[in-house]
Amino acid sequence: MWHQSFGLLGKSYAHDTTGSFFLGKWLRVPLYPVSLCSAVVDVAIQDYVADVAAELIYQNKSQTSTEVLFVFPLGPHMAIYSFQARSEDAKVHAVLQDEVQQPHEATGGWENLEYLRDQSEYPGEAFACFLGTLSPGREVVVTLRYVQELPREPDGAARFVLSPTLNPYGTLYVWNCRTSKLHYSLLLTASLQSPRGVVDVQANFALTPLIYTAQDHSTAQAPLLQVSLAGSPQCHHDLELLVYYGDPTAVSAVVEKGDPEAPPGSLLGDPMVLVTLAPSIPEAVPGQRQSGEFIFLLNTTFLEHAQDSLLFLLKSLPLGCYFNIYCYEETSVGIYSQSVEYTQDNLTEAMRRIPSTGSSLGDSNLLETLRSVYNTPRPHRHPRQLFIFMAGLPPDVEAIAAEVCRHRNSHRCFSFCFSEDSAALAMALAKETGGEAAYVSSDSSRSLVVLKCLKQALKPAAEGVSLSWTLPRGLEVEVLGGTPQSIFQGQHNLLYAQIHGQAQDTTVAKGVMTLQYSLDGQDVTYTIEFPLCPQGDGRLAGHRLAARCLMKRLLPESVSGSGEEPRHRAVEISLTSGIICPFTSYVGVRTPQRVTWYQRPLALLPPRQSLIPCQIVELRGSRISSCYPKSIWVPPGWLTAVRASWLALRQLTHDIAALPQRRACSKACKPPPPLFSSLKYVDPMEFGLCSSTLWRWCPEAAAKCQELVALQNADGSWALSSGLASVLEVDEDEIKGKMPDEVMEPSIWATVMAVTWLHRHDEYYQDLCELLEAKAVTWLCSQAVSQLDKCLETANTLLGSSVKPSVFRL
């Protein structure tokens, strides 16, 4: 196998056949990396976006001619906008084209991409371009440009990681033959910009001093790394850069000037404001009242086989929230006409109305149910979150995905699948809305998986998020993709807002943006100024990422029957920005560098161009061969949605159904473009939350725990009853007789007993009952803090346990 860094790969028919792969029927094609001689990388970072320009020089150091394939793995939130390669013989340029018209189509070399797709060691998405044959000793120079959204660290730093292709550290693989020797030079330079000022730069490699190019330290530049690596590699890790800005706040804005050559009013022509929303949200105390709307969409399989999971899920909800339940294979109408407050009466009624089994065999009403949910008003200042359970692949997949995408700013989806064929849709819905997806592989892991997602959903949020703008007359702002209504703890949102028009008052040099939201019932406001005449290097990273964002938003309109206009607009944006979209595709144009002379008549003819394979491919990973019977296939996020047109979603149902029978295309067949038919393999241990954290499961203990949870009230308390005594395996009269005299309310004593019993068996119940216990302890602390010491001492004696006072926050 080769290293995940990829780069330039070659195949040669003169090599030994060890580790080779049969392509088609008889052809053996070994694949190995071509030597990287040097890499020059220039990075421009503006707040939380980066533009990267790289020049890579490779040399064929073998004794035979080699067919070469350039492979560049695409990380999250990354998009290539320019690629070309040149050698002494030819120049290759990647060109975008309208997929429907397809004026150009490569005629050969597709087997190389299909081979790469199947035989890569790691799954993921990659840009791949076939460059032809490289003679011994010859070099090829690859020039690559891409843009990338950068993650924001908890302390506010922007984190940039150099792609392994540009820094191929560690061991390279030549199939089963390893070599640990690298010989190449790397020059990395970076320019940094932020209106808040660049305060500090940290890295996991030696840095040269920063050179500030503005008095206010808003811009800086430096040759950060210049090193020659030979022999054993100097490092075995990614090169990481942390950029710290002044005064981390809930909102920041960087203005990027437009392209002077683009027409005014166009996406590239007008200035773009890069807005980062990152409210400071404190941790919530477990078990306390909390806002939020939780809507559960249950299918037949969940109703028949997961009543215990539903019990834990509903009992773990906090007071103060709203909830509703839809059994969407029965009806698209909720148990309640709209979400109701989480109280004991409403919870009891909901449990009574939920059918124990379903009559439908398919997810026939999921689309109608989603539309019903979205048409129902949500409670004021309660962020909406959906828990969707799927057993099989529902019909109308493209319409479901479009419906969720259309409402992505108003909610989060936590999706759960019980079979492999629904895993693709589950992951897509979760990623689109910022939620999580989970594959439930066994009955014993189901409750844990669901509760782990609920813990994520219970993180506090800034609610009612809104942006307002103050600009000179004649200017207006358009937020591409809209503004999210809620921002949860640990999240940050990068928005793109474009300034249109011509200012009537040219003396006003700044605009004002105001962020407002509600946190714990308190209104919060931030105001920030930004320049109306920005400076910049003209690299347009923000504009290109905005194009990527806007094209993504146009997809639901193309599915909903809005005509051809959304598609035409997406194609136009793609071709002008250089960022691929679901309606465009790459083709490689190869132009010979040498001219051709003819003797009769004597003439100099222009070079003849040829077309070669060049596309985004979804690498399936070699682990599929050993894990195939248990494999889970999921669609990647936007990086493959770049190629995953909604038109291809209609093909998804058939592709997944035929997956076990489908194998690699033969050499003579052009492989299908990597739409949703090219799905990504994800190991069950990596697909969201799975059974790797399972506690030791005991059926008898599980039954006892379920009985105890069923008796708990919505506020977290237990009543002193014969049912509780039966679970605790203590006589009811003895429990009543041992109740401390200081306790005036029997439910206080019963709740202490229940929590103590749970902690006596915490090796079984710790993960399952964490939320339930927190709610119970919160209730106890609000009722009788002074009585808890004596209650705990007596409960420990009665149950033969040694639970510590800290459990009750004493």
PDB file of all heavy atoms in Angstrom, residues 11-15 32 60-67 133-137:
ATOM      1  N   LYS A  11       3.007   3.524 -12.243  1.00  0.00           N
ATOM      2  CA  LYS A  11       2.926   2.090 -12.465  1.00  0.00           C
ATOM      3  C   LYS A  11       3.853   1.750 -13.622  1.00  0.00           C
ATOM      4  O   LYS A  11       3.968   2.490 -14.598  1.00  0.00           O
ATOM      5  CB  LYS A  11       1.502   1.647 -12.760  1.00  0.00           C
ATOM      6  CG  LYS A  11       0.912   2.185 -14.059  1.00  0.00           C
ATOM      7  CD  LYS A  11      -0.455   1.592 -14.309  1.00  0.00           C
ATOM      8  CE  LYS A  11      -1.013   2.074 -15.650  1.00  0.00           C
ATOM      9  NZ  LYS A  11      -2.333   1.491 -15.927  1.00  0.00           N
ATOM     10  N   SER A  12       4.539   0.641 -13.473  1.00  0.00           N
ATOM     11  CA  SER A  12       5.493   0.246 -14.494  1.00  0.00           C
ATOM     12  C   SER A  12       5.388  -1.254 -14.699  1.00  0.00           C
ATOM     13  O   SER A  12       5.339  -2.015 -13.744  1.00  0.00           O
ATOM     14  CB  SER A  12       6.918   0.611 -14.067  1.00  0.00           C
ATOM     15  OG  SER A  12       7.858   0.040 -14.943  1.00  0.00           O
ATOM     16  N   TYR A  13       5.360  -1.677 -15.944  1.00  0.00           N
ATOM     17  CA  TYR A  13       5.191  -3.100 -16.244  1.00  0.00           C
ATOM     18  C   TYR A  13       6.495  -3.870 -16.098  1.00  0.00           C
ATOM     19  O   TYR A  13       6.517  -5.079 -16.172  1.00  0.00           O
ATOM     20  CB  TYR A  13       4.640  -3.265 -17.659  1.00  0.00           C
ATOM     21  CG  TYR A  13       3.385  -2.473 -17.860  1.00  0.00           C
ATOM     22  CD1 TYR A  13       3.363  -1.360 -18.679  1.00  0.00           C
ATOM     23  CD2 TYR A  13       2.216  -2.820 -17.186  1.00  0.00           C
ATOM     24  CE1 TYR A  13       2.205  -0.625 -18.832  1.00  0.00           C
ATOM     25  CE2 TYR A  13       1.059  -2.092 -17.330  1.00  0.00           C
ATOM     26  CZ  TYR A  13       1.068  -0.990 -18.170  1.00  0.00           C
ATOM     27  OH  TYR A  13      -0.071  -0.244 -18.316  1.00  0.00           O
ATOM     28  N   ALA A  14       7.626  -3.161 -15.854  1.00  0.00           N
ATOM     29  CA  ALA A  14       8.906  -3.842 -15.685  1.00  0.00           C
ATOM     30  C   ALA A  14       9.176  -4.208 -14.237  1.00  0.00           C
ATOM     31  O   ALA A  14      10.119  -4.886 -13.942  1.00  0.00           O
ATOM     32  CB  ALA A  14      10.044  -2.948 -16.194  1.00  0.00           C
ATOM     33  N   HIS A  15       8.324  -3.756 -13.323  1.00  0.00           N
ATOM     34  CA  HIS A  15       8.539  -4.023 -11.904  1.00  0.00           C
ATOM     35  C   HIS A  15       8.190  -5.459 -11.552  1.00  0.00           C
ATOM     36  O   HIS A  15       7.458  -6.135 -12.256  1.00  0.00           O
ATOM     37  CB  HIS A  15       7.696  -3.065 -11.070  1.00  0.00           C
ATOM     38  CG  HIS A  15       8.449  -1.837 -10.685  1.00  0.00           C
ATOM     39  ND1 HIS A  15       8.902  -1.608  -9.421  1.00  0.00           N
ATOM     40  CD2 HIS A  15       8.827  -0.765 -11.433  1.00  0.00           C
ATOM     41  CE1 HIS A  15       9.516  -0.444  -9.370  1.00  0.00           C
ATOM     42  NE2 HIS A  15       9.478   0.086 -10.577  1.00  0.00           N
ATOM     43  N   TYR A  32       3.289   2.595  -7.111  1.00  0.00           N
ATOM     44  CA  TYR A  32       4.249   3.055  -6.119  1.00  0.00           C
ATOM     45  C   TYR A  32       4.419   4.559  -6.260  1.00  0.00           C
ATOM     46  O   TYR A  32       4.111   5.144  -7.308  1.00  0.00           O
ATOM     47  CB  TYR A  32       5.599   2.355  -6.311  1.00  0.00           C
ATOM     48  CG  TYR A  32       6.192   2.561  -7.685  1.00  0.00           C
ATOM     49  CD1 TYR A  32       7.071   3.614  -7.918  1.00  0.00           C
ATOM     50  CD2 TYR A  32       5.860   1.727  -8.744  1.00  0.00           C
ATOM     51  CE1 TYR A  32       7.606   3.822  -9.188  1.00  0.00           C
ATOM     52  CE2 TYR A  32       6.386   1.928 -10.003  1.00  0.00           C
ATOM     53  CZ  TYR A  32       7.257   2.976 -10.218  1.00  0.00           C
ATOM     54  OH  TYR A  32       7.773   3.182 -11.461  1.00  0.00           O
ATOM     55  N   ASN A  60      11.168  10.908 -11.959  1.00  0.00           N
ATOM     56  CA  ASN A  60      11.149   9.462 -12.145  1.00  0.00           C
ATOM     57  C   ASN A  60      12.580   8.939 -12.023  1.00  0.00           C
ATOM     58  O   ASN A  60      13.379   9.080 -12.938  1.00  0.00           O
ATOM     59  CB  ASN A  60      10.560   9.113 -13.508  1.00  0.00           C
ATOM     60  CG  ASN A  60      10.507   7.598 -13.739  1.00  0.00           C
ATOM     61  OD1 ASN A  60      10.697   6.813 -12.817  1.00  0.00           O
ATOM     62  ND2 ASN A  60      10.272   7.207 -14.978  1.00  0.00           N
ATOM     63  N   LYS A  61      12.883   8.332 -10.877  1.00  0.00           N
ATOM     64  CA  LYS A  61      14.233   7.843 -10.636  1.00  0.00           C
ATOM     65  C   LYS A  61      14.386   6.363 -10.952  1.00  0.00           C
ATOM     66  O   LYS A  61      15.424   5.767 -10.660  1.00  0.00           O
ATOM     67  CB  LYS A  61      14.622   8.108  -9.181  1.00  0.00           C
ATOM     68  CG  LYS A  61      14.710   9.600  -8.859  1.00  0.00           C
ATOM     69  CD  LYS A  61      15.200   9.853  -7.450  1.00  0.00           C
ATOM     70  CE  LYS A  61      15.325  11.348  -7.169  1.00  0.00           C
ATOM     71  NZ  LYS A  61      15.822  11.642  -5.809  1.00  0.00           N
ATOM     72  N   SER A  62      13.352   5.783 -11.548  1.00  0.00           N
ATOM     73  CA  SER A  62      13.469   4.382 -11.952  1.00  0.00           C
ATOM     74  C   SER A  62      14.151   4.307 -13.315  1.00  0.00           C
ATOM     75  O   SER A  62      14.417   5.313 -13.963  1.00  0.00           O
ATOM     76  CB  SER A  62      12.085   3.742 -12.014  1.00  0.00           C
ATOM     77  OG  SER A  62      11.337   4.298 -13.082  1.00  0.00           O
ATOM     78  N   GLN A  63      14.390   3.086 -13.752  1.00  0.00           N
ATOM     79  CA  GLN A  63      15.081   2.877 -15.026  1.00  0.00           C
ATOM     80  C   GLN A  63      14.110   2.658 -16.184  1.00  0.00           C
ATOM     81  O   GLN A  63      14.543   2.390 -17.301  1.00  0.00           O
ATOM     82  CB  GLN A  63      16.014   1.657 -14.906  1.00  0.00           C
ATOM     83  CG  GLN A  63      17.065   1.799 -13.817  1.00  0.00           C
ATOM     84  CD  GLN A  63      17.958   3.009 -14.052  1.00  0.00           C
ATOM     85  OE1 GLN A  63      18.443   3.224 -15.168  1.00  0.00           O
ATOM     86  NE2 GLN A  63      18.188   3.791 -13.002  1.00  0.00           N
ATOM     87  N   THR A  64      12.838   2.749 -15.912  1.00  0.00           N
ATOM     88  CA  THR A  64      11.840   2.513 -16.963  1.00  0.00           C
ATOM     89  C   THR A  64      10.861   3.669 -17.005  1.00  0.00           C
ATOM     90  O   THR A  64      10.686   4.414 -16.043  1.00  0.00           O
ATOM     91  CB  THR A  64      11.063   1.208 -16.696  1.00  0.00           C
ATOM     92  OG1 THR A  64      10.382   1.326 -15.434  1.00  0.00           O
ATOM     93  CG2 THR A  64      11.998   0.010 -16.667  1.00  0.00           C
ATOM     94  N   SER A  65      10.213   3.816 -18.125  1.00  0.00           N
ATOM     95  CA  SER A  65       9.153   4.815 -18.258  1.00  0.00           C
ATOM     96  C   SER A  65       7.982   4.427 -17.365  1.00  0.00           C
ATOM     97  O   SER A  65       7.690   3.245 -17.176  1.00  0.00           O
ATOM     98  CB  SER A  65       8.692   4.914 -19.716  1.00  0.00           C
ATOM     99  OG  SER A  65       9.738   5.395 -20.530  1.00  0.00           O
ATOM    100  N   THR A  66       7.326   5.431 -16.821  1.00  0.00           N
ATOM    101  CA  THR A  66       6.293   5.196 -15.826  1.00  0.00           C
ATOM    102  C   THR A  66       5.048   6.002 -16.149  1.00  0.00           C
ATOM    103  O   THR A  66       5.135   7.190 -16.456  1.00  0.00           O
ATOM    104  CB  THR A  66       6.804   5.609 -14.429  1.00  0.00           C
ATOM    105  OG1 THR A  66       7.991   4.878 -14.132  1.00  0.00           O
ATOM    106  CG2 THR A  66       5.753   5.327 -13.368  1.00  0.00           C
ATOM    107  N   GLU A  67       3.910   5.344 -16.111  1.00  0.00           N
ATOM    108  CA  GLU A  67       2.643   6.066 -16.195  1.00  0.00           C
ATOM    109  C   GLU A  67       2.340   6.652 -14.820  1.00  0.00           C
ATOM    110  O   GLU A  67       2.359   5.936 -13.825  1.00  0.00           O
ATOM    111  CB  GLU A  67       1.512   5.138 -16.634  1.00  0.00           C
ATOM    112  CG  GLU A  67       1.612   4.714 -18.084  1.00  0.00           C
ATOM    113  CD  GLU A  67       0.384   3.935 -18.522  1.00  0.00           C
ATOM    114  OE1 GLU A  67      -0.503   3.715 -17.671  1.00  0.00           O
ATOM    115  OE2 GLU A  67       0.314   3.565 -19.700  1.00  0.00           O
ATOM    116  N   THR A 133       2.807   9.404 -19.414  1.00  0.00           N
ATOM    117  CA  THR A 133       4.043   8.648 -19.203  1.00  0.00           C
ATOM    118  C   THR A 133       5.201   9.584 -18.901  1.00  0.00           C
ATOM    119  O   THR A 133       5.380  10.613 -19.566  1.00  0.00           O
ATOM    120  CB  THR A 133       4.378   7.810 -20.443  1.00  0.00           C
ATOM    121  OG1 THR A 133       3.279   6.930 -20.713  1.00  0.00           O
ATOM    122  CG2 THR A 133       5.633   6.980 -20.208  1.00  0.00           C
ATOM    123  N   LEU A 134       5.986   9.226 -17.878  1.00  0.00           N
ATOM    124  CA  LEU A 134       7.164   9.991 -17.482  1.00  0.00           C
ATOM    125  C   LEU A 134       8.404   9.131 -17.726  1.00  0.00           C
ATOM    126  O   LEU A 134       8.544   8.044 -17.172  1.00  0.00           O
ATOM    127  CB  LEU A 134       7.070  10.386 -16.011  1.00  0.00           C
ATOM    128  CG  LEU A 134       8.103  11.390 -15.494  1.00  0.00           C
ATOM    129  CD1 LEU A 134       7.948  12.724 -16.205  1.00  0.00           C
ATOM    130  CD2 LEU A 134       7.945  11.574 -13.986  1.00  0.00           C
ATOM    131  N   SER A 135       9.300   9.623 -18.563  1.00  0.00           N
ATOM    132  CA  SER A 135      10.503   8.868 -18.929  1.00  0.00           C
ATOM    133  C   SER A 135      11.504   8.854 -17.780  1.00  0.00           C
ATOM    134  O   SER A 135      11.441   9.697 -16.880  1.00  0.00           O
ATOM    135  CB  SER A 135      11.156   9.491 -20.173  1.00  0.00           C
ATOM    136  OG  SER A 135      10.240   9.524 -21.253  1.00  0.00           O
ATOM    137  N   PRO A 136      12.446   7.900 -17.785  1.00  0.00           N
ATOM    138  CA  PRO A 136      13.458   7.827 -16.722  1.00  0.00           C
ATOM    139  C   PRO A 136      14.241   9.134 -16.610  1.00  0.00           C
ATOM    140  O   PRO A 136      14.675   9.715 -17.614  1.00  0.00           O
ATOM    141  CB  PRO A 136      14.363   6.672 -17.165  1.00  0.00           C
ATOM    142  CG  PRO A 136      13.494   5.839 -18.047  1.00  0.00           C
ATOM    143  CD  PRO A 136      12.574   6.783 -18.742  1.00  0.00           C
ATOM    144  N   GLY A 137      14.403   9.611 -15.379  1.00  0.00           N
ATOM    145  CA  GLY A 137      15.165  10.828 -15.144  1.00  0.00           C
ATOM    146  C   GLY A 137      14.408  12.120 -15.393  1.00  0.00           C
ATOM    147  O   GLY A 137      14.899  13.197 -15.040  1.00  0.00           O
TER     148      GLY A 137
END
